[in-house]
Amino acid sequence: MTDAVEAEHLVKSFKGSVRALDGLSFAVRAGSVFGLLGPNGAGKTTAVRILTTILTPDGGTARVLGHDVITEARTVRGLIGLAGQYAAVDENLTGRENLDMVGSLNHLPRPAYRQRTRELLVQFQLDDAGDRPLKTYSGGMRRRLDVAAALVARPAMLFLDEPTTGLDPASRSALWIAVEELVSQGTTVLLTTQYMEEADRLAHEIAVVDHGTVIALGTPARLKAQMGATVLDIGLAGAADAAHTTELLRSTGRSGAARVGDSVELGVDDGPRAAIEILRLLDQAGIEPHRFTLREPTLDDVFLSLTGNPTADDGLAGADPDRGSFDRQRSGDRGSAPGSGRGARRSRRQARRGPAMGETPTNPSRACPTSLAPGAAMTAAAPGAVTTPAPSTPGPRHTTATDLGWLIRDAWTVTKRNLIGYTRIPEAMFFSSVQPIMFVLLFRYVFAGAIHTPGFNYVDFLMPGIFVQSVAFGAVGTSIGLAEDLQKGIIERFRALPMARSAVLAGRTTADLVRNVFVMLLMLGVGFLVGYRVHTGIAQFLGGALLVLAFAYCLSWGFAVIGMAAPNSETAQVMSFPVLFPFTFASSAFVPVQTMPGWLQGFAVNQPVSKVVNAARDLMSGHVPGVSSATATWEAVVWTAGMLAVFAPLAVWKYRSRI
C-alpha cells in the first residue's frame, strides 16, 4: 500500500452556514508522519474526526488503509488509534483501568490487553502511577496516558490531534521519541499541531490548511525554501513604525513583508543586498530599527506567510497568533497579510494543483517509505483472535450471530467502568442516599399529620412513592454522566473504537439500574426504621420492586436523550429537573390525588409516575382504595414498555448522530 490515507474533496458544514471543510484533499504515505497545520478553526480537527469515522462528510470521499470511512466504518475503527485534542480519559479510574477498558473495547483477549497495558505504562513512564486514580495525575501525565490509550491495539494508523498541547518540554520530547519509534516500526501517523518545531522534527510531509482547504503541500524543507534563502527580521520601536515599514516595503515591490507585532518579517533571496537597500530606505523615511537580522526561514515564517498574522490595531495584540489570524481572515480583512492577497490566492490555486501527492521529498534525510515492510506493524484483528502483522488486512468483520455477544461484552465493560466511578465519587453517593432519606424524614415526621390517607397508615402509603421518587431522581444521573463524557471527549474516543455502537448507552443505563437497586435496598431499610411494614406476600412485594426498577431503567433512557443533547453536565442537570419535578410532585407519590386542586387532578391521575406508584403501592403495601389491582399493574406495565420503546431508539439515534 502506497497511501494509508486518501482524502478527496471533503466537504463538511455545521449548522448550515459554517463550512469547516471546503474541498479538502490530501494523501498520506504509508509508514510516514503527515503534518496537518493551520490556524484555529481551519478544519484540521474536523478532518481528523471524519477520517476516524466520528463524523460523516457532506461531500467527498476518504479511505483509511484502503477502507472507505463511510461504508466500511467498523473496519476502519478496528485499524486506527486516536488521541484527540483533549485527554479523553476517565479521571475516576486508575491509569491501568483506563488502558484495560480501551483494550477490552478493542476486542482484544484479556491476557493480551493486560500485557499491553503493562508495556504502555512503562513506555510512557506511568508505571509508578498506574494504580492511582487519574484525579491525582498532572495534566501532562493524563495526556501521556491518553496517547498510550490510542496505542493499546497496536494500530496501523495513528491520529494525533495536537498531542503535546500543555506538555512540558521534557514530556513533549519523550512523546516525539515515542512517535518516531512507532513510525520506524511501520505505523503511519497523521499529526495536527500548533507547534512548528514539532512539525519540523516529526513530519515527512506537511499540508497547510486554511478555510477548509489545502493551501500548501510539501516537505518541511521545500516549504521553507519557498520563503527565500533568508528571512529579514526588523524590530521597530512600536506598532506605528511597524505598520509604516510594512507599507513602505510593499510600495517598493516587496509584497511579502509581514507585520508581526512590533516587528516586520520579509523573505528574501538576495539577503545582504536586500538588507543594504532596506536600511537605506528606512533611513530616508526616518525610521530607526532597534533590531535588524538575517536568519534562515522556519515553518513559523511559512505559516504566517500563508495564513496571515494579527495586527495591534485589530485588537489582537498579545493574542494567540494562530487564533488571531484566523479570526481576522474570517472577518474579511485580508489586505495586510502577505499570504492573503492576489499573489497568495494564486499560490493557493497552484498548491491545489501541485505538487503531486506522490512527489518524492526533496530532502533525502526526511524521505519516507512508500510501503510497509512485512510484519512491521501490528493491527487490531478480528474479535477474540490474535493480532496479525499486516496493516492493510481488513479489520474485524462481525457476523450477525456475534453482534449480540459483542454488545453484551462491551456494555458490561462500560457498566463496570461507570460502577467503579460511582464508588469513587463521594458526592454522587451522598446525593443517591442522603437525599431520599431526607424526603422520608420530612414527609414522615413533618407533613404526615396534615396528609389524610383513608384506609392507609401514611408511612405505608408513603414508602412506595419514595421508592419511585428515589429511582426517578437517580435516573437524572444518566443525563449528567453522558453529558460529562461528551464534554470530556470520552464518548468521542468510544466512537472511534470498534466497539458495539449501542454499548455506551446500554452500559450507562445498566450501571444506573444497579445503583437504583442499592438505593431501593437502602430506602427499604430506612422505611422499616420509621415504621413501614410489608402487608403483602413476598412474591407481590418483589413484583412491585421489579416494576419500580423497570420504570427507572426506562426513565434512564429518556434522560439519556437529554444528556446527548446537552453541551455539558451542568446544562444536562438544568434540563432534567424541570422535566422530572412536575411528574414527581404532581403525582400520587406523596399525597392522594383527590386532595389536589381539580384542574391538577386530570394531569396527576393520567401520567406515568402516578400509574407506577399506584401499582407499586398495591403490590408492596396492600390494596389501594379506589384502584383496581389488575388495572393499576397493567397500566404501569404499558407505560413502562411504551417509554422504553420510544426513548431507547431515540437515544441510540441521538448518540449515532451526535457531533
Side-chain angles (χ1 to χ4, degrees):
M1 174 180 296
T2 300
D3 291 329
V5 174
E6 302 165 272
E8 297 182 1
H9 311 297
L10 291 177
V11 175
K12 184 65 181 179
S13 298
F14 298 102
K15 297 181 180 178
S17 59
V18 180
R19 192 161 233 193
L21 299 182
D22 189 13
L24 184 75
S25 297
F26 63 86
V28 179
R29 294 187 186 92
S32 71
V33 179
F34 187 86
L36 209 57
L37 309 183
N40 289 342
K44 306 184 300 296
T45 296
T46 301
V48 169
R49 296 177 78 195
I50 287 174
L51 294 172
T52 54
T53 77
I54 294 170
L55 288 180
T56 301
D58 299 331
T61 61
R63 298 177 69 82
V64 174
L65 299 172
H67 302 286
D68 189 276
V69 298
I70 300 175
T71 61
E72 300 175 276
R74 176 180 286 182
T75 299
V76 171
R77 289 193 289 268
L79 298 170
I80 64 172
L82 168 66
Q85 277 190 311
Y86 307 102
V89 286
D90 190 336
E91 65 177 13
N92 297 314
L93 303 184
T94 67
R96 189 179 309 277
E97 288 167 345
N98 268 280
L99 297 183
D100 281 349
M101 176 183 68
V102 173
S104 177
L105 295 176
N106 269 290
H107 299 166
L108 300 178
R110 179 177 295 184
Y113 70 67
R114 288 192 169 175
Q115 174 62 28
R116 185 64 174 148
T117 291
R118 289 190 289 270
E119 294 170 358
L120 289 169
L121 288 174
V122 171
Q123 180 180 350
F124 285 88
Q125 301 176 2
L126 294 170
D127 47 320
D128 291 339
D131 294 312
R132 284 166 31 198
L134 262 65
K135 292 179 180 179
T136 66
Y137 281 32
S138 67
M141 293 169 71
R142 294 186 189 202
R143 194 54 172 151
R144 296 205 305 273
L145 184 71
D146 182 58
V147 175
L151 300 174
V152 168
R154 303 181 187 272
M157 179 74 214
L158 179 62
F159 293 88
L160 300 176
D161 195 1
E162 300 187 13
T164 59
T165 299
L167 294 187
D168 58 77
S171 297
R172 185 176 300 153
S173 179
L175 186 56
W176 290 352
I177 293 172
V179 171
E180 289 170 337
E181 289 177 350
L182 285 169
V183 176
S184 70
Q185 296 166 8
T187 301
T188 306
V189 177
L190 189 149
L191 168 77
T192 78
T193 180
Q194 296 283 8
Y195 299 111
M196 299 301 107
E197 178 190 4
E198 183 167 272
D200 204 359
R201 161 144 177 193
L202 295 177
H204 300 100
E205 193 169 25
I206 289 172
V208 181
V209 179
D210 196 13
H211 293 85
T213 190
V214 174
I215 61 173
L217 181 66
T219 64
R222 180 184 180 119
L223 291 176
K224 287 185 287 187
Q226 293 175 0
M227 286 293 300
T230 54
V231 172
L232 184 59
D233 185 358
I234 308 171
L236 297 148
D241 279 358
H244 186 189
T245 300
T246 302
E247 295 303 320
L248 186 64
L249 292 176
R250 290 177 181 171
S251 69
T252 61
R254 296 189 180 274
S255 59
R259 179 184 160 193
V260 184
D262 293 342
S263 300
V264 176
E265 294 182 357
L266 173 66
V268 294
D269 290 319
D270 52 343
R273 178 173 298 183
I276 294 172
E277 292 178 359
I278 291 171
L279 279 172
R280 288 174 178 168
L281 186 65
L282 296 178
D283 184 57
Q284 293 170 2
I287 299 173
E288 183 176 348
H290 64 78
R291 184 181 72 252
F292 196 92
T293 59
L294 284 170
R295 58 175 172 78
E296 292 185 356
T298 66
L299 280 181
D300 289 279
D301 300 318
V302 175
F303 187 86
L304 289 172
S305 175
L306 291 168
T307 64
N309 55 279
T311 58
D313 54 335
D314 288 322
L316 295 168
D320 177 18
D322 296 346
R323 182 179 296 278
S325 64
F326 175 74
D327 291 343
R328 187 164 172 274
Q329 291 175 22
R330 277 293 195 200
S331 69
D333 180 11
R334 297 170 175 253
S336 63
S340 303
R342 292 195 190 108
R345 284 192 288 272
R346 282 196 299 271
S347 68
R348 291 175 188 178
R349 287 194 296 270
Q350 291 166 359
R352 293 186 190 107
R353 292 194 297 265
M357 293 183 183
E359 180 183 38
T360 302
T362 57
N363 186 348
S365 67
R366 299 192 62 80
C368 57
T370 58
S371 62
L372 294 176
M378 305 291 285
T379 71
V386 296
T387 51
T388 174
S392 59
T393 300
R397 295 184 182 275
H398 305 291
T399 65
T400 303
T402 62
D403 276 350
L404 179 60
W406 289 114
L407 171 60
I408 293 172
R409 171 177 163 172
D410 294 341
W412 166 242
T413 298
V414 178
T415 298
K416 184 169 64 173
R417 168 243 173 181
N418 292 325
L419 290 175
I420 292 172
Y422 291 146
T423 65
R424 294 175 184 169
I425 307 175
E427 56 272 23
M429 297 294 292
F430 179 85
F431 180 81
S432 298
S433 56
V434 174
Q435 179 264 350
I437 293 174
M438 295 300 295
F439 269 96
V440 170
L441 298 178
L442 183 68
F443 279 92
R444 176 68 178 89
Y445 296 111
V446 178
F447 299 140
I451 301 173
H452 182 56
T453 54
F456 253 105
N457 181 348
Y458 181 67
V459 71
D460 294 335
F461 176 91
L462 173 67
M463 287 311 299
I466 287 290
F467 292 150
V468 175
Q469 177 267 334
S470 299
V471 298
F473 273 61
V476 175
T478 301
S479 66
I480 295 173
L482 285 172
E484 190 174 66
D485 284 348
L486 278 167
Q487 185 180 5
K488 293 181 177 179
I490 293 175
I491 283 185
E492 186 154 304
R493 160 153 278 154
F494 287 156
R495 292 182 59 162
L497 294 175
M499 61 185 292
R501 303 294 268 172
S502 302
V504 173
L505 299 176
R508 170 64 65 176
T509 53
T510 302
D512 289 340
L513 177 63
V514 174
R515 181 181 61 178
N516 279 329
V517 171
F518 163 77
V519 170
M520 279 199 65
L521 290 173
L522 175 66
M523 298 316 300
L524 182 61
V526 173
F528 275 109
L529 290 176
V530 299
Y532 173 66
R533 296 295 181 265
V534 177
H535 300 288
T536 60
I538 188 66
Q540 285 179 287
F541 181 85
L542 290 177
L546 289 174
L547 180 60
V548 172
L549 291 172
F551 179 68
Y553 184 69
C554 297
L555 274 183
S556 289
W557 282 97
F559 284 111
V561 177
I562 295 177
M564 296 305 300
N568 53 57
S569 56
E570 293 80 8
T571 304
Q573 185 169 353
V574 170
M575 293 169 63
S576 297
F577 280 109
V579 174
L580 185 63
F581 268 84
F583 285 94
T584 303
F585 290 99
S587 73
S588 60
F590 306 112
V591 299
V593 172
Q594 294 79 6
T595 65
M596 298 180 183
W599 58 268
L600 186 57
Q601 290 185 23
F603 170 77
V605 169
N606 298 293
Q607 54 111 328
V609 173
S610 288
K611 299 296 185 183
V612 174
V613 168
N614 289 341
R617 188 171 285 142
D618 182 76
L619 291 168
M620 303 174 83
S621 295
H623 178 66
V624 180
V627 176
S628 167
S629 298
T631 301
T633 302
W634 176 82
E635 289 179 339
V637 170
V638 169
W639 267 103
T640 301
M643 291 169 59
L644 184 63
V646 171
F647 290 137
L650 185 59
V652 172
W653 171 81
K654 190 65 179 175
Y655 173 81
R656 291 180 174 177
S657 62
R658 182 66 158 84
I659 295 175

